Amino acid sequence: MPNEPVPTDALACSSSFRWGFCDGGAAAAAAVAADVEALRIVRNLAMQGRSQEVSLLASRMTSLLRHSSSRAAGFDKVKTLIEELIAKLEKEASEEATKKAYCDKELIEATAKKELRGDQVTKLSTKIEQTTAQEAKLKEEVALLQKDLGALLKSQAEMDKLRAEESGLFTSTKADLEKGLDALRLAIKTLKEYYGKDSSEYSHENKEGGASGVIALLEVCESDFAKNLAEITTTEEAAVAAYEEQSQKNSIEKTVKEGDIKYKTKEATALGKTASELKADHSGLSEELDAVVEYLQQLTAECTIVPETYEETQKRRASEIAGLKEALAALSSGSEAEAPSSSSSSSSSSS
């Protein structure tokens, strides 16, 4: 029965690993070939992923498979190393997945909350400005109304004073005119009665002539007094009517202004209270917004993957290159060790 072909990878029996591993013939060579394949896969992973841990594992696998007293001992240790690294990587992957889910959730929620609080703060700021402006406008209107009301009250007081003075002057003037008019009328009556009687001291002509002159003069004075009395009475009545009309207007205007002042003052007070409440809400929301912004910054820093520095990249690459050079050196030394064995085999066949 022909001998079973030995896999090409089993040449590792004569290079990278101890000769004792191949004493079992083709089966042992196949096992060693499997070890070599496993090592090749790990090395490829190390090169592709540029992982220091995988590179270290490849180095340790090489060392164990090369220097262990038996394949079984080396296999068990290598298997343990691989299982431990798999468990570690799976744990890290799970932790990273959990953290990523946490970061994604928290970043979305924090960003949404930041936008919400930002919009609320902006709207409140606008509302506070509007409310404050309305309050200031109302206070300005109240101040203007109070000024106008003060001027109105002052004008009314001056009118009252002037009316009192005019009324007093009219009363005294009227009294004087009425007194004078009564005196003139009495004098005219008396003269008419006197000159109307018979008297032996004067002739009829003399009495008639004197009475006519005096009485006529008194009657002119009476007419002037009566005219003056009528004029001042008419003037007084017109002044009273104008005063009462203006006073009525002033009273209505005063009532309106006082009502406006009361209403606008009440409205301004309410707006001031509203503005204070809005400012309190704004302050609370601003504090919440600051806290959310600070948390979002911390979260962003925590969840953002920081790239490697140039020094770290160079160090990692140097380590990988060193590992590759080591693997290349191992392969080269294996090829050199294989050459004498091949020459011996050729000599035996010729004999």
Side-chain angles (χ1 to χ4, degrees):
M1 182 176 180
N3 293 331
E4 294 181 2
V6 180
T8 303
D9 288 338
L11 292 174
C13 290
S14 62
S15 58
S16 298
F17 307 113
R18 291 190 175 183
W19 288 97
F21 284 21
C22 298
D23 292 344
V32 173
D35 294 342
V36 173
E37 177 64 11
L39 179 59
R40 184 187 67 79
I41 293 172
V42 172
R43 284 177 173 171
N44 285 340
L45 288 175
M47 288 186 291
Q48 293 171 3
R50 297 183 177 182
S51 169
Q52 292 183 357
E53 290 180 321
V54 178
S55 296
L56 179 60
L57 174 62
S59 298
R60 295 185 67 184
M61 285 175 62
T62 301
S63 177
L64 286 170
L65 293 173
R66 180 183 297 170
H67 300 104
S68 294
S69 58
S70 66
R71 182 188 176 276
F75 173 78
D76 290 339
K77 290 179 181 179
V78 168
K79 181 181 177 183
T80 300
L81 288 174
I82 293 175
E83 288 176 345
E84 288 177 350
L85 183 57
I86 289 173
K88 183 175 183 294
L89 292 176
E90 287 178 343
K91 181 180 178 183
E92 290 177 353
S94 176
E95 290 174 350
E96 289 173 356
T98 301
K99 184 174 182 180
K100 185 178 184 304
Y102 163 79
C103 287
D104 290 345
K105 176 177 176 293
E106 290 297 314
L107 284 170
I108 290 173
E109 291 180 354
T111 301
K113 191 172 183 180
K114 175 189 173 184
E115 293 175 355
L116 175 63
R117 290 292 180 262
D119 290 342
Q120 290 176 334
V121 168
T122 300
K123 289 178 181 178
L124 273 179
S125 297
T126 302
K127 197 168 184 180
I128 289 171
E129 290 177 1
Q130 293 174 345
T131 304
T132 304
Q134 291 174 356
E135 180 189 6
K137 183 180 179 182
L138 283 173
K139 287 183 176 180
E140 184 179 350
E141 291 174 355
V142 168
L144 184 60
L145 284 169
Q146 289 175 335
K147 181 180 179 181
D148 292 343
L149 181 61
L152 180 65
L153 294 176
K154 182 179 179 182
S155 175
Q156 184 64 44
E158 291 174 351
M159 283 177 53
D160 293 342
K161 181 180 178 182
L162 180 61
R163 179 86 285 278
E165 291 175 352
E166 289 177 346
S167 178
L169 180 61
F170 167 74
T171 300
S172 62
T173 302
K174 180 183 178 184
D176 291 340
L177 288 174
E178 287 177 343
K179 185 177 179 181
L181 191 58
D182 290 342
L184 287 171
R185 287 172 178 171
L186 180 61
I188 291 171
K189 180 183 178 184
T190 301
L191 287 173
K192 284 183 176 181
E193 290 176 354
Y194 175 76
Y195 287 107
K197 294 179 181 180
D198 290 336
S199 176
S200 57
E201 296 181 359
Y202 300 99
S203 62
H204 178 74
E205 291 78 5
N206 290 333
K207 289 193 293 180
E208 188 70 22
S212 296
V214 173
I215 290 173
L217 179 60
L218 292 175
E219 286 177 344
V220 170
C221 290
E222 178 192 9
S223 176
D224 290 341
F225 271 55
K227 182 180 179 181
N228 289 339
L229 180 59
E231 288 177 352
I232 66 171
T233 300
T234 300
T235 301
E236 175 64 13
E237 289 174 351
V240 169
Y243 167 77
E244 290 178 350
E245 181 182 2
Q246 187 60 46
S247 294
Q248 181 65 22
K249 290 180 179 179
N250 289 347
S251 177
I252 294 173
E253 186 176 358
K254 175 176 174 289
T255 301
V256 171
K257 288 185 183 298
E258 287 177 341
D260 288 344
I261 289 172
K262 183 178 179 181
Y263 169 76
K264 290 180 184 293
T265 299
K266 183 179 179 181
E267 186 69 14
T269 301
L271 286 172
K273 182 180 178 181
T274 301
S276 298
E277 293 173 351
L278 290 174
K279 288 176 181 177
D281 294 340
H282 182 276
S283 177
L285 286 174
S286 295
E287 290 179 0
E288 289 185 27
L289 178 60
D290 292 341
V292 170
V293 170
E294 183 179 357
Y295 173 67
L296 187 58
Q297 290 174 345
Q298 294 174 353
L299 193 63
T300 301
E302 178 184 349
C303 295
T304 300
I305 299 175
V306 180
E308 291 179 326
T309 63
Y310 175 78
E311 290 77 13
E312 291 172 340
T313 302
Q314 288 297 94
K315 182 179 179 181
R316 177 174 55 78
R317 286 178 178 171
S319 176
E320 291 171 352
I321 291 170
L324 292 172
K325 287 182 177 180
E326 182 181 354
L328 182 60
L331 292 174
S332 297
S333 64
S335 298
E336 292 172 359
E338 184 181 11
S341 177
S342 299
S343 300
S344 300
S345 298
S346 297
S347 298
S348 298
S349 299
S350 298
S351 301

